[in-house]
Amino acid sequence: MLNPFGSSLVATDLNGDGHTDLAVGYGSRAIAPESGGVSALLNHGDGTFDNPDGTFGAGEHYGAGHNSLATADFDGDGRPDVAMIDTVQTGPGVRVLYNRCLP
């Protein structure tokens, strides 16, 4: 189930199907215990989105305390990755979440 406390959003084609998908960041476990992650919402191309694995990457949650996301191909593999400001999990800094949506 998608957490209702999203605090940041980026739009990009995460799975290479030509449709703009969404990565939604959740930044505060104080607000909701299941937050602190980044969910990939995959666009079906008909106005609906799906959250197949719960979070970006491989079903993992990442540190709470982030409120900004950016997307780019950080590792040069041709897939858009997501970077987030992480002020809790790893201390102040940037964490890159590598895209595993494409085979």
Side-chain angles (χ1 to χ4, degrees):
M1 180 175 174
L2 185 63
N3 180 310
F5 296 103
S7 61
S8 53
L9 175 99
V10 291
T12 189
D13 184 6
L14 293 170
N15 60 355
D17 65 358
H19 302 296
T20 302
D21 306 306
L22 303 174
V24 181
Y26 309 100
S28 176
R29 289 196 174 154
I31 295 172
E34 68 276 11
S35 67
V38 176
S39 290
L41 300 178
L42 303 180
N43 186 344
H44 292 286
D46 62 1
T48 63
F49 291 81
D50 189 17
N51 182 225
D53 67 2
T55 57
F56 190 82
E60 299 176 31
H61 283 277
Y62 302 93
H66 62 277
N67 58 13
S68 296
L69 297 177
T71 184
D73 181 9
F74 294 106
D75 58 1
D77 65 359
R79 302 181 288 198
D81 305 305
V82 174
M84 68 179 203
I85 301 295
D86 186 352
T87 60
V88 176
Q89 186 79 4
T90 60
V94 175
R95 177 176 260 203
V96 176
L97 311 179
Y98 296 104
N99 186 339
R100 304 295 178 243
C101 289
L102 293 172

